[in-house]
Amino acid sequence: MRDSIARRRFLQLLCSSATGLAAPATDVAPFFEEIPPAASGIQWKHVAGLSSKMYVPETIGPGCAFLDYDNDGWMDIYLVNSGPCDFYSPSTPLSNALYRNNRDGTFTDVTEKAGVRGNAYGMGAAVGDFNGDGFADLYVTQYPRSILYRNNGDGTFTDVTEKAGVAAPGWSSSAVWFDYDNDGRLDLFVCRFGDFDKSKMVYCGNRDTGAHYYCSPSVVKPFTCWLFHNNGDGTFTDVSKESGIAGKLTRAWGVVAADINNDGWIDLFVSNDGLANCLFANRGRGKFEEIALIAGVAYNSFGAARSGMGVDAADYNEDGNVDLFVANIDHESYSLYRNNGDESFDDMAIPSGIAAATRFLSGWGLKFFDFDNDGNLDLILCNGHPDTMVKLYTPTVDYRMPMVLFQNTGAAWKNVSAQAGPVFHKGLAGRGLALGDFDNDGAVDVLVAVNDGAPILLRNNVGRRNHWLGVRLIGRKANVDAIGAIVSYQAGALKRRRVRVGGGSFLSSHDPRMVLGIGQAAKIDWLEVRWPQPGGGVERFHDLPLDRYVTITEGQGTWK
């Protein structure tokens, strides 16, 4: 018994150190600096409507987004709130928030003018130019119905949900815009978290004491996700059944769209809570095949389903194949799936050290990105347990958890949370996480959405120590957001390949620009863009500038 207690304390100490709870160094500037509301002007807070009944959606959201809604070249911010539904009637009206970037490190609330308050119990946001007019549109996932805001191009949005046919009734979570049929138009995939409404809730807790706990997702009946085909006239067709998407029951939380087998068709990786994850391989002709089991990404190594939440995709090891990541609940460990190039994956979480570092964590928003601009893709995660009462039945686990930052050295994953900043040493009820360079200095910043609290805006202080090039891609034959594009570049001995994926993280959407780090190299020798179908062309560029953003439009053969 004494040995068991000593071992448990040792594991807790090891986990605390691995997840960034050790005291930060005082002689080195932190990688990330939290911008307080008084400095940013972001005074909004999320209200979950936490109740004694403990309805599951209360503790899941919210999401967030970086987007340039007014096309001024500066990232604005969108924040999702809860709202009225069958289990919650706010005592005062609640609203989502759109903050315009003032280009000086501050933001102004323009929600009312823009008309994007939301109208139900909000979850997440997906940004994409669905009508190809050059302005970012906004899809907000909600319970019991979602909403599509069309950007009018004059600082306002119009609710076009009914005309578009994308309400997705029920409880939707994450969503992603991508072109599944290579017709050059952005289609929409929407995750559904089971068959839920107030009447279907069951009691979870301690009947002897009367205490309520938030239920395990196993009490929610699985349901199917949605796939909406863009008809090109402002309307969408639900093709969930004929595409094969509806052939799989889910409790879906996260989704990322990426070509995992290099066949030119965008696939979907979907995390499921308490069920096998889904890997929908796009076989063309509008059909998907679910291959997660044979690909090795459905279950853990013992054949058990885990509580999949946040997801992402990137070629982290530069072998030409897109790898996958999924975060799970505490005691399940997160998974880093290395792509073998044959539609199979190996989980590298244990040998990489990521499994040990995340053993007692529950992960939501996460993203691969090169935070220090050295040319290697790093990994950031925000965490928090879904049950506010978890400490009562699992004393080693907290509801609020620290963020984690892994640095990719090219040979190993190094946990650098201790140097990342004070926010990495405090507990958060972290949920959505979005990446975006809000101050245009080439150092990619981070926005974290907190359940029942204020969002956290983190300025990146380290990325500008190295050289970089920011690239905005605009498709013409290909989808306008260039989802699926491959950007390769060389700077001296550094040669890298980046993939423009759709979505990733949890309930959130990201700066569409790609920041290409080159370390201390003096110039970029060349840059090549392989456009997605139906264009599919390859363009190569020379004499590119450093430490600034450029726009590359498909077929123009130049940059500006």
Side-chain angles (χ1 to χ4, degrees):
M1 178 68 174
R2 185 177 303 167
D3 290 343
S4 175
I5 294 174
R7 182 174 182 274
R8 186 182 308 146
R9 288 176 176 169
F10 172 74
L11 287 173
Q12 291 173 351
L13 179 62
L14 177 65
C15 178
S16 295
S17 175
T19 56
L21 292 178
T26 58
D27 58 342
V28 179
F31 297 155
F32 290 90
E33 170 191 1
E34 184 175 351
I35 309 301
S40 69
I42 300 174
Q43 301 293 332
W44 179 94
K45 290 185 178 182
H46 177 256
V47 178
L50 301 176
S51 69
S52 60
K53 298 294 185 181
M54 295 193 169
Y55 298 105
V56 179
E58 296 171 358
T59 189
I60 299 305
C64 55
F66 278 110
L67 75 162
D68 183 7
Y69 84 97
D70 53 0
N71 280 357
D72 67 351
W74 294 77
M75 285 296 115
D76 310 298
I77 285 174
Y78 190 72
L79 301 162
V80 180
N81 213 341
S82 62
C85 64
D86 60 355
F87 65 82
Y88 181 48
S89 297
S91 57
T92 59
L94 297 177
S95 173
N96 301 344
L98 177 63
Y99 279 93
R100 186 189 66 229
N101 192 327
N102 298 323
R103 312 184 196 181
D104 60 1
T106 68
F107 295 81
T108 297
D109 188 340
V110 295
T111 312
E112 291 299 328
K113 177 184 176 182
V116 289
R117 291 177 54 91
N119 56 18
Y121 198 95
M123 284 282 123
V127 178
D129 182 3
F130 80 87
N131 57 359
D133 65 353
F135 289 92
D137 306 300
L138 181 62
Y139 187 76
V140 182
T141 57
Q142 303 180 138
Y143 168 78
R145 65 187 298 278
S146 298
I147 186 168
L148 175 60
Y149 289 114
R150 185 192 65 212
N151 191 331
N152 298 321
D154 60 359
T156 69
F157 291 76
T158 298
D159 178 353
V160 295
T161 313
E162 292 306 318
K163 176 186 176 182
V166 292
W171 179 10
S172 57
S173 51
S174 295
V176 63
W177 295 98
F178 76 120
D179 181 9
Y180 81 91
D181 56 352
N182 285 346
D183 66 354
R185 297 189 294 265
L186 286 175
D187 309 299
L188 179 65
F189 179 90
V190 183
C191 294
R192 179 163 180 172
F193 189 79
D195 183 17
F196 171 87
D197 65 47
K198 179 180 178 179
S199 68
K200 295 179 175 126
M201 279 297 296
V202 300
Y203 173 85
C204 296
N206 187 325
R207 294 192 180 277
D208 293 333
T209 64
H212 281 259
Y213 303 149
Y214 282 103
C215 291
S216 160
S218 61
V219 305
V220 179
K221 182 181 177 181
F223 213 79
T224 58
C225 295
W226 293 275
L227 179 62
F228 296 103
H229 174 260
N230 188 336
N231 299 322
D233 59 359
T235 70
F236 292 76
T237 299
D238 184 348
V239 294
S240 308
K241 291 182 179 179
E242 51 264 50
S243 66
I245 295 296
K248 189 74 175 180
L249 294 176
T250 68
R251 295 191 197 101
W253 280 142
V255 59
V256 63
D259 183 1
I260 60 100
N261 51 13
N262 291 326
D263 66 353
W265 299 93
I266 305 296
D267 312 296
L268 294 166
F269 181 51
V270 179
S271 61
N272 282 309
D273 199 338
L275 297 172
N277 297 323
C278 297
L279 181 55
F280 292 107
N282 189 337
R283 300 308 190 194
R285 300 188 181 89
K287 302 295 184 181
F288 288 83
E289 179 187 4
E290 206 290 297
I291 63 168
L293 180 59
I294 59 175
V297 298
Y299 301 106
N300 67 10
S301 57
F302 301 102
R306 289 184 281 189
S307 303
M309 296 183 288
V311 298
D312 199 23
D315 181 9
Y316 77 85
N317 58 354
E318 295 291 337
D319 67 353
N321 300 303
V322 172
D323 311 296
L324 302 173
F325 192 95
V326 59
N328 302 295
I329 207 164
D330 63 277
H331 292 81
E332 293 183 349
S333 299
Y334 302 172
S335 288
L336 175 65
Y337 289 117
R338 184 186 64 198
N339 191 329
N340 296 321
D342 58 359
E343 293 192 354
S344 74
F345 295 77
D346 291 325
D347 190 348
M348 305 302 294
I350 292 177
S352 70
I354 289 176
T358 60
R359 173 67 174 165
F360 294 95
L361 297 178
S362 301
W364 303 91
L366 58 94
K367 207 79 175 78
F368 288 105
F369 77 127
D370 184 4
F371 82 91
D372 52 3
N373 282 335
D374 67 350
N376 296 323
L377 287 174
D378 311 299
L379 180 64
I380 191 168
L381 309 117
C382 75
N383 307 286
H385 201 277
D387 190 354
T388 56
M389 310 296 288
V390 64
K391 203 76 173 175
L392 296 180
Y393 55 85
T394 310
T396 60
V397 176
D398 293 315
Y399 171 65
R400 293 177 174 84
M401 298 176 173
M403 297 177 63
V404 180
L405 181 66
F406 290 103
Q407 183 181 46
N408 181 356
T409 68
W413 291 95
K414 181 181 179 182
N415 191 331
V416 294
S417 305
Q419 296 81 44
V423 72
F424 288 78
H425 309 282
K426 67 181 182 182
L428 300 173
R431 295 297 186 265
L433 179 149
L435 299 180
D437 182 8
F438 76 85
D439 51 5
N440 280 349
D441 66 351
V444 178
D445 309 300
V446 179
L447 178 65
V448 178
V450 175
N451 183 261
D452 205 42
I456 294 174
L457 181 62
L458 300 176
R459 175 185 286 126
N460 184 335
N461 291 324
V462 69
R464 55 182 173 266
R465 298 176 190 172
N466 284 318
H467 291 302
W468 56 276
L469 175 66
V471 179
R472 181 190 178 198
L473 299 176
I474 300 177
R476 285 295 179 250
K477 292 182 180 178
N479 68 88
V480 66
D481 287 353
I483 304 298
I486 299 172
V487 175
S488 303
Y489 64 101
Q490 184 164 350
L494 181 75
K495 187 175 182 180
R496 292 292 182 264
R497 176 182 182 270
R498 297 284 180 264
V499 179
R500 176 90 164 91
V501 305
S505 190
F506 175 73
L507 304 179
S508 300
S509 199
H510 315 278
D511 188 335
R513 302 171 298 180
M514 305 173 76
V515 176
L516 312 175
I518 64 169
Q520 292 298 303
K523 68 173 184 176
I524 292 178
D525 301 316
W526 54 264
L527 180 147
E528 184 177 275
V529 180
R530 182 177 295 276
W531 296 95
Q533 296 294 337
V538 178
E539 296 181 88
R540 180 171 283 225
F541 304 90
H542 299 273
D543 302 319
L544 290 153
L546 288 184
D547 304 332
R548 59 160 285 191
Y549 282 95
V550 300
T551 298
I552 298 177
T553 301
E554 181 184 10
Q556 291 189 355
T558 187
W559 54 267
K560 65 177 182 179

